[in-house]
């Protein structure tokens, strides 16, 4: 629940002091009762308005049942007074990027039923162990990046403490590499897991370990492993290699499975005994309950494929996937149109269909899609190089499409966009690396433009400023929130001017590797007023300017407060001036500044929801930061700028 905060900024008929005196006349218990209905961000928003509400918010935080803060990495000094007095906390969700083992006593609390902790790099296995010892009533546990910092480790005993202690777990997600800490036979300890568990997600585990776990009849303590996991309905695993053995073990042991997501990224093509084959596909969905299936061989480290799966394997699978609602295949290099078409036509309830790295997929797959009863809402055909406009024209006959991912389909041109523009429900369109032009993008203006939420045209090298001035002409209010314009060699500041002038409420803007983009673009974005919003640059949460050729020291003056108040991620070239970059990062401690060219934000490459964005940005995020960090001056950053100016003057004198 979000709070709407009204401030008196020097104008109006009501004086701020009178408002506070009026609030003082109300019973504190009444105000606190009302404030218990708000989330943490909204409480902090109210607290930033006056002393009375700040006092009430501070007391409410000592007994609020839910404490969820993902947008800011809080320090130990901030977390302790907010959490320590609260004996009624039942749900805790935090970004732990600035916390370590010293915070374990505050985070592991007996009252908790839900724990979700991200970026736990500086924690050791003691965090896992203490949660198992203290949080006996825990229902949901999600831990990310535990012990990734050098010197931290996780013992087998810590995992045993967790699984033995949390006997009521229903959801367990351990998003780190378990194979670094467990020996090959240690996978059996997962036989200790709660028999109430329905969702299991592991960041990385060896296929051998997973097979041993599922095929073992009992653990060292005598508990039957198959019984412990028999209620699991959703399983998501990253393994070293997807094999027939692990697929068979999953299908036979997890009889309640509804959602199966397996992915691997081998460093070389596996040999036949250690790979997935047609016979492995035949083992999938033996119980006929699967609704969602994802099998992906990533190309992250090496160009590896499922070389032992053919059309025959897809025919085996088609007989068992009649009730499936979403299917995702990645890296099936020997499967042709016949195999993919069989799957597509067999699943009458299919709404999400995704093929990644399908080198033999052609237009024929969608040739007679009108003859089916399919109602697809999400389609991803990433890096299917043989697809042309004809396939997209056929696919666009499905008017319920909401997400369309054509990244890496290099033969997609303007004719496809003409068909796409007629999709009334389309919200996400990803066109990276396609052969579209300014003319093709202009077709979007005729139909789908007002409803589109996310657009990516990265590496579409035919594009110029013209498509931006056409789309962002200010003629209507837009729903667009995410825009990726990276690596467009002909894009200039004029394109950003058009965007800024339109007042579009963009929350995520990527301009990386646009060599003609410079300081004027940053100034324009900083001065942007989103429709009636009075706060300049207020909507941007992510801004990626990495390797933009015209960015200089001047841009950093516009990256300070009060500009870009909601900015959480900033990509910049560190060589511009490292001192100023570091000073900016210290001044805006909520801001994650990247100088190495890594992608910003949370981007799950193969997640169905990776392209979806949050359409409602709460204004309270800025007040949360203000209340937590206080109102410090910009002295440190100004000193860095002065030093840089002095150095520049000295260089000019030397040249003279």
């Amino acid at each position: 629940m979000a709070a709407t905060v009204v401030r008196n900024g020097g104008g109006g008929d009501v004086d701020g002091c009178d408002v506070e005196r009026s609030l003082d006349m109300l019973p504190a218990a009444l105000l606190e009762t009302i404030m218990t209905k708000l989330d943490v961000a909204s409480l902090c928003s109210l607290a930033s308005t006056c002393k009375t509400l700040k006092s009430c918010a501070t007391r409410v935080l000592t007994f609020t049942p839910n404490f969820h803060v993902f947008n800011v990495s809080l320090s130990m000094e901030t977390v302790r007074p907010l959490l320590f007095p609260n004996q009624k906390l039942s749900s805790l969700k935090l970004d732990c990027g600035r916390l370590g083992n010293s915070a374990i006593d505050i985070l592991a609390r007996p009252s908790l039923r839900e724990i979700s902790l991200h970026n736990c790099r500086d924690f050791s296995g003691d965090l896992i162990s203490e949660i198992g010892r203290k949080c006996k009533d825990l229902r949901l546990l999600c831990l990310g990046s535990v012990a990734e910092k050098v010197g931290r480790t996780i013992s087998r005993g810590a995992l045993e403490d967790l699984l033995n202690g949390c006997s009521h777990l229903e959801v367990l997600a351990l998003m780190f590499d378990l194979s670094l800490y467990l020996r090959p036979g240690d996978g059996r300890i997962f036989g200790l897991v709660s028999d109430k568990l329905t969702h299991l997600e592991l960041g990385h585990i060896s296929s051998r370990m997973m097979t041993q776990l599922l095929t073992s009849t009992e653990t060292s303590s005598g508990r039957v492993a198959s019984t412990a996991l028999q209620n699991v309905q959703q399983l998501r695993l990253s393994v070293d290699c997807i094999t027939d053995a692990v697929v068979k073990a999953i299908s036979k042991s997890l009889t309640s499975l509804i959602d199966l997501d397996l992915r691997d990224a081998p460093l070389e093509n596996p040999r036949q005994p250690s790979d997935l084959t047609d016979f492995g596909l035949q083992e999938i969905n033996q119980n006929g309950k699967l609704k969602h299936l994802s099998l992906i061989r990533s190309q992250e480290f090496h160009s590896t494929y499922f070389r032992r799966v053919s059309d025959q394997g897809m025919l085996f699978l088609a007989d068992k996937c009649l009730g499936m609602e979403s299917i995702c295949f990645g890296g099936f290099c020997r499967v042709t149109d016949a195999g993919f078409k069989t799957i597509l036509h067999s699943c009458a309830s299919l709404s999400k269909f995704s093929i990644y790295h399908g080198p033999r997929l052609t237009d024929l797959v969608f040739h007679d899609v009108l003859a089916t009863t399919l109602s697809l809402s999400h389609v991803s055909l990433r890096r299917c190089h043989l697809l042309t406009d004809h396939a997209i024209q056929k696919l666009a006959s499905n008017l319920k499409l909401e997400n369309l991912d054509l990244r890496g389909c290099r033969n997609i041109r303007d004719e496809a966009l003409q068909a796409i523009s007629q999709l009334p429900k389309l919200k996400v369109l990803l066109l990276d690396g396609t052969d579209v032009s300014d003319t093709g993008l202009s077709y979007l203006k005729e139909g789908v433009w007002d409803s589109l939420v996310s657009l990516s045209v990265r590496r579409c090298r035919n594009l110029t400023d013209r498509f931006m001035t056409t789309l962002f002409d200010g003629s209507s209010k837009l729903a667009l929130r995410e825009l990726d314009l990276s690596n467009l060699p002909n894009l200039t500041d004029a394109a950003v001017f058009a965007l800024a002038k339109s007042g579009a409420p963009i929350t995520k803007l990527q301009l990386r590797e646009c060599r003609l983009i410079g300081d004027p673009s940053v100034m324009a974005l900083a001065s942007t007023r989103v429709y009636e919003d009075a706060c300049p640059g207020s909507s941007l949460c992510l801004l990626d300017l990495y390797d933009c050729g015209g960015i200089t020291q001047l841009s950093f003056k516009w990256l300070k407060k009060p500009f870009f108040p909601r900015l959480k991620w900033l990509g910049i070239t560190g060589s511009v001036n490292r001192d100023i970059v570091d000073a900016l990062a210290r001044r805006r401690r909520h801001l994650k500044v990247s100088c190495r060219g890594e992608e910003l934000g949370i981007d799950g490459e193969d997640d169905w929801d990776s392209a979806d964005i949050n359409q409602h940005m709460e204004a309270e995020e800025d007040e949360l930061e203000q209340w937590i960090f206080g109102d410090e001056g910009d002295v440190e950053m100004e000193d860095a700028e002065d030093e840089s100016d002095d150095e520049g003057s000295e260089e000019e004198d030397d040249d003279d």
Side-chain angles (χ1 to χ4, degrees):
M1 181 176 179
T4 301
V5 180
V6 179
R7 294 181 177 81
N8 296 293
D13 299 327
V14 181
D15 185 81
C17 295
D18 292 338
V19 172
E20 186 165 354
R21 282 196 293 270
S22 299
L23 288 172
D24 285 337
M25 297 174 64
L26 295 174
L30 174 61
L31 292 174
E32 291 170 14
T33 301
I34 296 172
M35 293 170 74
T36 57
K37 308 299 182 181
L38 304 177
D39 57 24
V40 174
S42 298
L43 284 173
C44 293
S45 174
L46 287 175
S48 67
T49 60
C50 69
K51 293 180 180 179
T52 300
L53 291 180
K54 181 176 182 178
S55 175
C56 291
T58 302
R59 286 194 294 271
V60 169
L61 283 172
T62 64
F63 58 82
T64 183
N66 303 320
F67 192 92
H68 300 168
V69 180
F70 276 137
N71 296 314
V72 183
S73 297
L74 303 181
S75 66
M76 181 66 172
E77 293 74 18
T78 303
V79 169
R80 180 179 289 278
L82 290 175
L83 293 183
F84 189 76
N86 193 337
Q87 301 301 316
K88 297 185 178 181
L89 192 65
S90 64
S91 179
L92 175 63
K93 298 182 180 181
L94 276 181
D95 183 330
C96 297
R98 300 176 64 195
L99 301 177
N101 278 355
S102 59
I104 290 177
D105 289 341
I106 299 174
L107 302 179
R109 309 166 70 93
S111 62
L112 285 171
R113 294 169 63 91
E114 295 183 358
I115 297 178
S116 183
L117 304 177
H118 295 185
N119 299 323
C120 303
R121 293 178 176 83
D122 200 20
F123 287 89
S124 68
D126 293 346
L127 172 65
I128 298 173
S129 182
E130 286 301 301
I131 289 174
R133 292 173 183 171
K134 294 182 177 179
C135 305
K136 301 294 185 181
D137 203 30
L138 203 62
R139 299 299 197 269
L140 179 149
L141 176 62
C142 178
L143 299 176
S145 308
V146 179
E148 287 189 357
K149 188 174 181 179
V150 176
R152 299 298 189 185
T153 188
I154 301 171
S155 67
R156 171 192 167 115
L159 291 170
E160 287 181 334
D161 289 342
L162 172 67
L163 299 178
N164 274 318
C166 299
S167 58
H168 300 288
L169 270 179
E170 298 171 6
V171 178
L172 176 62
L174 302 178
M175 303 308 297
F176 49 88
D177 191 347
L178 290 164
S179 65
L180 295 176
Y181 313 108
L182 298 178
R183 296 188 298 271
D186 289 346
R188 294 186 179 92
I189 66 171
F190 282 94
L192 301 171
V193 76
S194 163
D195 57 7
K196 299 178 177 64
L197 195 72
T198 59
H199 294 67
L200 176 62
E201 185 169 1
L202 302 178
H204 186 79
I205 189 170
S206 72
S207 56
R208 179 184 175 188
M209 190 180 297
M210 196 66 201
T211 303
Q212 288 177 340
L213 161 64
L214 294 171
T215 55
S216 176
T217 55
E218 63 180 37
T219 67
S220 57
S221 62
R223 290 178 58 180
V224 180
S226 58
T227 300
L229 295 175
Q230 67 180 354
N231 295 320
V232 170
Q233 298 177 9
Q234 183 183 70
L235 179 66
R236 296 191 172 188
L237 300 177
S238 174
V239 297
D240 53 348
C241 186
I242 299 174
T243 66
D244 286 352
V246 72
V247 168
K248 183 177 181 179
I250 290 171
S251 297
K252 289 187 176 297
S253 302
L254 307 185
T255 56
S256 301
L257 204 60
I258 296 175
D259 186 335
L260 175 60
D261 185 333
L262 295 179
R263 57 195 68 200
D264 66 11
L267 297 176
E268 59 182 7
N269 283 308
R271 290 174 289 193
Q272 186 165 357
S274 303
D275 201 3
L276 181 67
T277 69
D278 291 337
F279 298 105
L281 284 188
Q282 194 173 6
E283 296 291 338
I284 292 177
N285 202 22
Q286 293 288 336
N287 298 298
K289 297 179 181 179
L290 269 185
K291 298 293 184 184
H292 312 281
L293 174 64
S294 178
L295 298 172
I296 296 173
R297 177 152 290 172
S298 174
Q299 316 293 302
E300 182 178 0
F301 304 113
H302 191 267
S303 295
T304 53
Y305 295 90
F306 291 110
R307 297 184 181 277
R308 294 171 179 84
V309 176
S310 64
D311 291 340
Q312 185 178 10
M314 292 295 172
L315 291 173
F316 290 152
L317 180 61
D319 292 334
K320 299 173 183 177
C321 65
L322 302 180
M324 288 194 188
E325 298 172 4
S326 71
I327 288 180
C328 179
F329 293 135
F332 288 83
C333 66
R334 290 185 57 205
V335 178
T336 68
D337 293 334
F340 290 127
K341 193 172 182 178
T342 301
I343 295 292
L344 195 60
H345 285 242
S346 298
C347 306
S349 303
L350 199 65
S351 62
K352 299 179 179 180
F353 182 66
S354 181
I355 304 295
Y356 303 152
H357 316 293
R360 297 193 179 188
L361 182 73
T362 74
D363 296 347
L364 292 176
V365 170
F366 303 105
H367 180 68
D368 53 356
V369 70
L370 282 173
T372 69
T373 58
L374 289 174
S375 181
L376 297 172
S377 61
H378 293 58
V379 174
S380 179
L381 301 168
R382 202 180 308 174
R383 298 184 192 174
C384 296
H385 299 312
L386 298 182
L387 288 178
T388 70
D389 295 341
H390 180 72
I392 308 307
Q393 288 168 342
K394 292 290 185 181
L395 190 59
S397 62
N398 190 328
L399 298 180
K400 293 187 178 181
L401 268 179
E402 297 179 10
N403 287 42
L404 183 57
D405 184 353
L406 300 173
R407 284 177 282 182
C409 297
R410 55 196 177 204
N411 290 314
I412 299 299
R413 297 184 174 87
D414 294 345
E415 289 77 7
L417 288 181
Q418 197 165 14
I420 290 171
S421 68
Q422 304 304 314
L423 295 171
K425 297 185 177 181
L426 193 67
K427 295 180 180 179
V428 176
L429 179 60
L430 310 178
L431 298 169
D432 303 15
T434 57
D435 198 30
V436 298
S437 71
D438 294 332
T439 301
L441 267 296
S442 68
Y443 293 142
L444 300 181
K445 186 73 174 179
E446 302 170 4
V448 74
W449 186 236
D450 289 344
S451 63
L452 205 61
V453 174
S454 178
L455 174 66
S456 179
V457 290
R458 179 181 294 208
R459 297 189 308 277
C460 295
R461 297 181 176 273
N462 297 330
L463 298 179
T464 69
D465 294 340
R466 189 162 65 89
F467 88 93
M468 288 290 288
T469 56
T470 301
L471 294 178
F472 295 97
D473 61 359
S475 61
S476 61
K477 289 189 177 181
L478 303 176
L480 196 69
R481 298 295 189 273
E482 291 190 355
L483 183 60
D484 190 344
L485 305 173
S486 301
N487 207 340
L488 301 183
N490 300 313
L491 203 72
T492 72
D493 293 324
V496 180
F497 294 164
L499 173 63
K501 186 178 179 181
S502 72
I506 303 294
T507 60
K508 179 178 178 181
L509 178 62
Q510 293 170 278
L511 295 164
R512 59 190 296 123
E513 298 175 341
C514 292
R515 301 294 299 168
L516 302 181
I517 294 294
D519 296 333
S521 290
V522 178
M523 297 180 200
L525 292 171
S527 305
T528 299
R529 297 187 184 276
V530 178
Y531 301 142
E532 291 83 13
D533 195 336
C535 190
S538 61
S539 65
L540 275 176
C541 297
L542 183 151
L543 178 60
D544 194 347
L545 300 169
Y546 178 77
D547 204 20
C548 289
I551 299 296
T552 70
Q553 174 185 328
L554 179 61
S555 289
F556 288 86
K557 296 181 182 293
W558 295 86
L559 291 168
K560 296 189 298 183
K561 294 180 179 179
F563 304 107
F564 302 109
R566 295 186 180 90
L567 199 63
K568 305 301 176 188
W569 290 279
L570 174 66
I572 202 78
T573 304
S575 60
V576 170
N577 186 298
R578 190 60 197 224
D579 291 337
I580 295 181
V581 172
D582 292 343
L584 177 65
R586 288 191 294 269
R587 168 67 188 103
R588 302 186 71 159
R589 284 176 284 180
H590 71 296
L591 182 63
K592 298 177 182 178
V593 182
S594 168
C595 303
R596 300 177 182 175
E598 60 265 39
E599 295 290 342
L600 305 181
I602 301 173
D603 184 21
E605 178 186 357
D606 296 315
D607 196 311
W608 281 117
D609 299 322
S610 64
D612 293 334
I613 56 105
N614 185 4
Q615 298 185 41
H616 175 66
M617 289 306 305
E618 293 188 7
E620 291 77 10
E621 291 179 10
D622 182 39
E623 284 91 18
L624 171 61
E625 177 215 343
Q626 290 178 11
W627 192 48
I628 289 176
F629 293 138
D631 187 16
E632 301 175 3
D634 288 331
V635 176
E636 186 177 16
M637 189 167 177
E638 289 171 357
D639 289 343
E641 290 173 351
D642 292 341
E643 290 176 7
S644 179
D645 289 338
D646 293 341
E647 290 174 3
S649 299
E650 290 174 5
E651 291 176 2
E652 290 177 4
D653 293 339
D654 292 340
D655 292 340
D656 293 339

